[in-house]
Protein backbone atom coordinates (compact mmCIF):
# COMPACT_ATOMS: atom_id res chain seq x y z
CA UNK A 1 0.00 0.00 0.00
CA UNK A 2 2.19 2.78 -1.32
CA UNK A 3 0.12 5.88 -0.66
CA UNK A 4 -0.46 5.23 3.02
CA UNK A 5 0.90 8.40 4.60
CA UNK A 6 2.65 7.80 7.86
CA UNK A 7 0.99 10.04 10.46
CA UNK A 8 4.21 10.54 12.42
CA UNK A 9 5.91 12.03 9.37
CA UNK A 10 5.81 15.74 8.69
CA UNK A 11 5.95 18.69 11.04
CA UNK A 12 4.83 18.91 14.64
CA UNK A 13 4.69 22.10 16.73
CA UNK A 14 4.57 22.25 20.52
CA UNK A 15 4.23 25.27 22.79
CA UNK A 16 6.35 25.22 25.96
CA UNK A 17 4.80 26.57 29.16
CA UNK A 18 5.63 27.08 32.79
CA UNK A 19 2.29 27.55 34.52
CA UNK A 20 0.28 29.91 32.31
CA UNK A 21 3.36 31.53 30.81
CA UNK A 22 4.44 30.50 27.35
CA UNK A 23 8.24 30.40 27.40
CA UNK A 24 8.96 28.94 23.99
CA UNK A 25 8.20 26.40 21.32
CA UNK A 26 9.54 23.26 19.73
CA UNK A 27 9.16 22.11 16.14
CA UNK A 28 10.01 18.63 14.88
CA UNK A 29 10.13 17.58 11.26
CA UNK A 30 10.39 13.92 10.24
CA UNK A 31 10.87 12.91 6.62
CA UNK A 32 11.40 9.50 5.10
CA UNK A 33 14.31 9.17 2.74
CA UNK A 34 15.59 6.17 0.84
CA UNK A 35 16.02 3.61 3.63
CA UNK A 36 16.59 6.39 6.17
CA UNK A 37 14.66 8.95 8.18
CA UNK A 38 15.66 12.59 8.43
CA UNK A 39 14.73 14.29 11.67
CA UNK A 40 15.19 17.94 12.50
CA UNK A 41 14.20 19.53 15.77
CA UNK A 42 14.33 23.15 16.86
CA UNK A 43 13.58 24.31 20.40
CA UNK A 44 13.59 27.96 21.41
CA UNK A 45 13.02 29.04 25.01
CA UNK A 46 13.22 32.31 26.91
CA UNK A 47 14.10 31.65 30.53
CA UNK A 48 14.87 33.85 33.48
CA UNK A 49 18.29 32.78 34.68
CA UNK A 50 19.12 34.45 37.98
CA UNK A 51 16.99 37.47 37.20
CA UNK A 52 18.13 38.05 33.63
CA UNK A 53 16.31 36.78 30.53
CA UNK A 54 18.20 34.17 28.52
CA UNK A 55 17.25 32.82 25.13
CA UNK A 56 18.17 29.19 24.61
CA UNK A 57 18.16 27.69 21.13
CA UNK A 58 18.64 23.97 20.57
CA UNK A 59 18.95 22.47 17.08
CA UNK A 60 19.17 18.77 16.31
CA UNK A 61 19.56 17.31 12.83
CA UNK A 62 19.74 13.55 12.57
CA UNK A 63 19.87 10.75 10.06
CA UNK A 64 18.20 7.62 11.41
CA UNK A 65 18.38 4.07 10.17
CA UNK A 66 15.30 2.15 9.03
CA UNK A 67 14.76 0.96 12.62
CA UNK A 68 14.96 4.62 13.81
CA UNK A 69 18.35 4.11 15.50
CA UNK A 70 21.03 6.78 15.11
CA UNK A 71 23.25 6.86 12.04
CA UNK A 72 24.51 10.38 12.60
CA UNK A 73 23.45 13.65 14.16
CA UNK A 74 24.48 17.23 14.73
CA UNK A 75 23.43 18.97 17.93
CA UNK A 76 23.77 22.72 18.56
CA UNK A 77 22.94 24.50 21.78
CA UNK A 78 23.28 28.23 22.21
CA UNK A 79 22.45 30.14 25.36
CA UNK A 80 23.61 33.74 25.48
CA UNK A 81 27.33 33.58 24.77
CA UNK A 82 27.55 29.86 25.59
CA UNK A 83 27.83 27.63 22.53
CA UNK A 84 27.94 23.85 22.53
CA UNK A 85 28.04 21.71 19.42
CA UNK A 86 28.43 18.00 18.88
CA UNK A 87 28.52 15.89 15.77
CA UNK A 88 28.17 12.13 15.99
CA UNK A 89 28.54 9.19 13.69
CA UNK A 90 27.68 5.59 14.55
CA UNK A 91 29.60 2.74 12.97
CA UNK A 92 30.74 -0.76 13.96
CA UNK A 93 29.61 -0.71 17.56
CA UNK A 94 30.83 2.73 18.47
CA UNK A 95 29.86 6.36 18.34
CA UNK A 96 32.39 8.94 17.26
CA UNK A 97 31.76 12.38 18.67
CA UNK A 98 33.30 15.69 17.70
CA UNK A 99 32.52 18.27 20.35
CA UNK A 100 33.03 22.02 20.26
CA UNK A 101 32.49 23.73 23.58
CA UNK A 102 33.71 27.16 24.64
CA UNK A 103 35.75 27.31 21.43
CA UNK A 104 37.58 24.07 22.27
CA UNK A 105 37.33 21.02 20.05
CA UNK A 106 37.48 17.51 21.49
CA UNK A 107 37.00 14.03 20.09
CA UNK A 108 35.38 11.16 21.90
CA UNK A 109 34.60 7.55 21.07
CA UNK A 110 31.85 5.78 22.98
CA UNK A 111 31.57 1.98 22.72
CA UNK A 112 28.01 0.82 22.08
CA UNK A 113 26.41 -2.50 22.99
CA UNK A 114 23.40 -1.62 20.86
CA UNK A 115 22.79 1.38 18.63
CA UNK A 116 20.84 3.93 20.67
CA UNK A 117 17.92 6.15 19.70
CA UNK A 118 17.54 9.91 20.07
CA UNK A 119 14.95 11.19 22.61
CA UNK A 120 12.96 12.73 19.73
CA UNK A 121 12.60 9.33 18.02
CA UNK A 122 10.54 7.89 20.84
CA UNK A 123 7.18 8.47 19.17
CA UNK A 124 8.44 6.78 15.99
CA UNK A 125 9.40 3.73 18.01
CA UNK A 126 6.12 3.64 19.89
CA UNK A 127 3.93 4.04 16.83
CA UNK A 128 5.78 1.11 15.28
CA UNK A 129 5.42 -1.08 18.40
CA UNK A 130 1.69 -0.58 18.67
CA UNK A 131 0.04 1.09 21.63
CA UNK A 132 -1.96 -0.77 24.22
CA UNK A 133 -2.54 -0.11 27.90
CA UNK A 134 -0.19 -1.96 30.25
CA UNK A 135 2.65 -2.44 27.80
CA UNK A 136 6.14 -1.52 28.89
CA UNK A 137 9.14 -0.83 26.67
CA UNK A 138 12.81 -0.24 27.30
CA UNK A 139 14.95 1.57 24.72
CA UNK A 140 18.60 2.67 24.82
CA UNK A 141 18.67 6.46 24.43
CA UNK A 142 21.56 8.78 23.70
CA UNK A 143 20.84 12.24 25.05
CA UNK A 144 22.96 14.83 23.18
CA UNK A 145 22.27 17.56 25.73
CA UNK A 146 23.93 15.58 28.52
CA UNK A 147 26.08 13.31 26.31
CA UNK A 148 24.78 10.28 28.16
CA UNK A 149 23.71 6.88 26.96
CA UNK A 150 21.02 5.29 29.15
CA UNK A 151 17.85 3.25 28.92
CA UNK A 152 14.45 4.88 28.96
CA UNK A 153 11.54 2.85 30.32
CA UNK A 154 8.14 3.69 28.87
CA UNK A 155 4.96 2.38 30.39
CA UNK A 156 1.55 2.88 28.80
CA UNK A 157 -0.51 3.62 31.90
CA UNK A 158 -3.95 4.29 30.53
CA UNK A 159 -6.25 5.72 27.94
CA UNK A 160 -8.09 8.97 28.52
CA UNK A 161 -9.74 11.97 26.91
CA UNK A 162 -7.55 15.04 26.67
CA UNK A 163 -8.77 18.57 26.00
CA UNK A 164 -6.42 20.96 24.21
CA UNK A 165 -7.95 24.33 23.46
CA UNK A 166 -11.40 23.49 22.07
CA UNK A 167 -10.42 20.07 20.76
CA UNK A 168 -10.87 16.76 22.50
CA UNK A 169 -8.50 13.90 21.83
CA UNK A 170 -8.48 10.26 22.72
CA UNK A 171 -5.01 9.76 24.17
CA UNK A 172 -2.70 7.20 25.71
CA UNK A 173 -1.04 8.35 28.93
CA UNK A 174 2.61 7.35 29.15
CA UNK A 175 5.04 7.30 32.02
CA UNK A 176 8.63 7.71 30.84
CA UNK A 177 11.50 7.15 33.23
CA UNK A 178 14.93 8.35 32.13
CA UNK A 179 17.91 8.76 34.48
CA UNK A 180 15.59 8.72 37.50
CA UNK A 181 13.39 11.49 36.08
CA UNK A 182 9.73 10.77 35.36
CA UNK A 183 8.00 12.47 32.43
CA UNK A 184 4.28 12.09 31.76
CA UNK A 185 3.15 12.31 28.18
CA UNK A 186 -0.05 11.91 26.22
CA UNK A 187 0.03 10.66 22.65
CA UNK A 188 -2.69 10.07 20.08
CA UNK A 189 -3.33 6.59 18.72
CA UNK A 190 -1.47 7.67 15.55
CA UNK A 191 1.61 8.36 17.66
CA UNK A 192 1.44 12.16 17.71
CA UNK A 193 2.56 13.89 20.90
CA UNK A 194 -0.29 15.90 22.42
CA UNK A 195 1.14 16.93 25.77
CA UNK A 196 4.20 16.36 27.92
CA UNK A 197 4.81 17.22 31.57
CA UNK A 198 8.26 17.28 33.13
CA UNK A 199 8.87 17.32 36.88
CA UNK A 200 10.23 20.88 36.89
CA UNK A 201 6.76 22.19 36.06
CA UNK A 202 7.49 22.55 32.36
CA UNK A 203 4.63 21.53 30.07
CA UNK A 204 4.68 21.06 26.31
CA UNK A 205 1.36 21.23 24.46
CA UNK A 206 0.58 20.54 20.84
Amino acid sequence: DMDKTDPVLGEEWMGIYIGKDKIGYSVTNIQKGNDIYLVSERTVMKLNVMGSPQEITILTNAILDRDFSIKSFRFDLQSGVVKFQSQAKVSKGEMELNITSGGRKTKETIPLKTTPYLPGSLRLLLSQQGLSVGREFRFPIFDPSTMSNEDIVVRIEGKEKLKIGNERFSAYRLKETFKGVVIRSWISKEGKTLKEESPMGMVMVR
Side-chain angles (χ1 to χ4, degrees):
D1 184 9
M2 284 310 289
D3 52 37
K4 176 176 169 278
T5 56
D6 193 327
V8 289
L9 297 179
E11 207 166 66
E12 194 167 273
W13 288 80
M14 307 281 285
I16 307 171
Y17 299 84
I18 291 180
K20 292 254 183 290
D21 299 331
K22 185 172 183 184
I23 60 154
Y25 68 90
S26 180
V27 56
T28 306
N29 193 318
I30 301 175
Q31 299 297 332
K32 195 174 180 347
N34 207 347
D35 259 4
I36 54 165
Y37 287 89
L38 302 169
V39 179
S40 68
E41 234 176 279
R42 181 171 82 245
T43 301
V44 179
M45 290 186 285
K46 281 192 169 72
L47 291 173
N48 264 323
V49 183
M50 306 199 316
S52 67
Q54 280 273 25
E55 181 161 287
I56 298 166
T57 306
I58 303 167
L59 301 170
T60 311
N61 284 292
I63 298 174
L64 309 180
D65 219 328
R66 274 195 278 209
D67 65 352
F68 312 125
S69 63
I70 300 169
K71 278 173 92 74
S72 66
F73 70 77
R74 182 186 159 139
F75 176 82
D76 289 89
L77 188 148
Q78 183 154 8
S79 168
V81 291
V82 179
K83 264 179 142 161
F84 174 84
Q85 186 193 89
S86 65
Q87 278 176 293
K89 220 158 111 187
V90 173
S91 62
K92 300 190 206 65
E94 57 183 37
M95 184 186 281
E96 260 181 52
L97 282 158
N98 286 300
I99 301 148
T100 310
S101 182
R104 276 182 57 237
K105 286 186 191 313
T106 50
K107 237 185 156 110
E108 245 183 79
T109 304
I110 299 173
L112 300 171
K113 286 204 260 314
T114 52
T115 308
Y117 304 95
L118 284 169
S121 311
L122 205 56
R123 63 193 176 95
L124 281 167
L125 284 164
L126 288 167
S127 65
Q128 185 197 46
Q129 296 285 345
L131 299 165
S132 59
V133 176
R135 287 192 80 176
E136 192 169 287
F137 305 99
R138 180 182 283 266
F139 304 112
I141 295 277
F142 182 83
D143 181 4
S145 63
T146 55
M147 307 281 294
S148 60
N149 196 7
E150 287 197 38
D151 280 4
I152 192 168
V153 177
V154 182
R155 187 173 168 76
I156 304 176
E157 290 189 314
K159 214 178 166 183
E160 54 195 44
K161 287 269 185 283
L162 186 69
K163 194 167 184 259
I164 298 175
N166 297 322
E167 285 188 84
R168 291 181 79 81
F169 295 92
S170 170
Y172 286 95
R173 187 179 77 250
L174 273 48
K175 178 188 178 186
E176 300 165 17
T177 311
F178 183 63
K179 290 165 66 171
V181 176
V182 174
I183 291 171
R184 285 267 186 298
S185 63
W186 286 261
I187 63 175
S188 71
K189 55 183 188 295
E190 298 84 37
K192 286 197 182 292
T193 309
L194 301 168
K195 187 179 173 183
E196 211 169 86
E197 283 178 4
S198 70
M200 273 97 79
M202 206 183 274
V203 179
M204 292 176 74
V205 182
R206 183 184 177 73

